[in-house]
Amino acid sequence: MARHINGINEMLVSLFNHVMDVESKAVITEEFKDITNNDMHIIEAVGISEPRKMSDIAKILGVTVGTLTTNMNGLEKKNYIIKERSTEDKRVVFVTLTERGRKAFFHHRDFHKNMIKAVVVDLDDEEKRLLYKCLVKLDSFFRE
């Protein structure tokens, strides 16, 4: 049992490092070389639907609005996002993606779709259900 636990730990550390490395290489292409992998995750959190409040984006990412503001200013200068103050409450800032930001969003989303397809391609429904259950437990652990 202890051997399996050590193996799981080693696998999780390895997976984390590989995902971050591969994602960075796959997502930060020549077209998006002016932003970081972290910026891509911010773009993902902004999303493509309605304008999103800075406070909501910060909550999604688990950072403070102050920390997020620095990154958002850079993304705005590089024309990935547009920030607009609320007309009803000047303290509230809404963020939307520009066309360039939407392009980056879909590029990043496609990487994740392809990664998931590669992981589950040979799994049957029960294995997919079990994998999902394990990932939910792992996510709960990290959120605590």
Side-chain angles (χ1 to χ4, degrees), residues 11-111:
M11 183 57 62
L12 287 173
V13 170
S14 176
L15 280 170
F16 177 79
N17 290 330
H18 283 98
V19 167
M20 296 303 288
D21 186 47
V22 169
E23 181 182 44
S24 183
K25 289 175 183 168
V27 172
I28 306 304
T29 60
E30 186 65 28
E31 183 175 10
F32 303 112
K33 67 182 178 185
D34 61 336
I35 58 173
T36 65
N37 208 24
N38 185 53
D39 290 332
M40 278 291 194
H41 290 122
I42 293 169
I43 288 168
E44 178 183 38
V46 172
I48 56 169
S49 56
E50 299 176 5
R52 186 164 272 164
K53 289 191 267 184
M54 284 277 288
S55 57
D56 292 342
I57 298 166
K59 187 175 182 178
I60 290 167
L61 296 169
V63 298
T64 66
V65 173
T67 298
L68 183 60
T69 299
T70 302
N71 294 87
M72 286 296 193
N73 289 342
L75 287 171
E76 187 175 39
K77 285 178 188 170
K78 295 171 187 170
N79 194 32
Y80 285 92
I81 63 149
I82 297 169
K83 294 189 306 184
E84 296 179 278
R85 289 213 177 270
S86 168
T87 54
E88 297 168 9
D89 183 346
K90 296 294 182 191
R91 297 170 296 176
V92 176
V93 176
F94 289 101
V95 180
T96 53
L97 296 179
T98 62
E99 188 56 40
R100 186 172 188 202
R102 290 175 62 82
K103 200 169 184 184
F105 174 91
F106 287 115
H107 175 68
H108 185 244
R109 187 202 60 187
D110 290 347
F111 166 78

Side-chain angles (χ1 to χ4, degrees), residues 114-124 127-128:
N114 291 332
M115 179 178 65
I116 298 306
K117 281 181 189 174
V119 169
V120 302
V121 67
D122 293 326
L123 301 181
D124 62 33
E127 290 169 323
K128 289 175 188 173

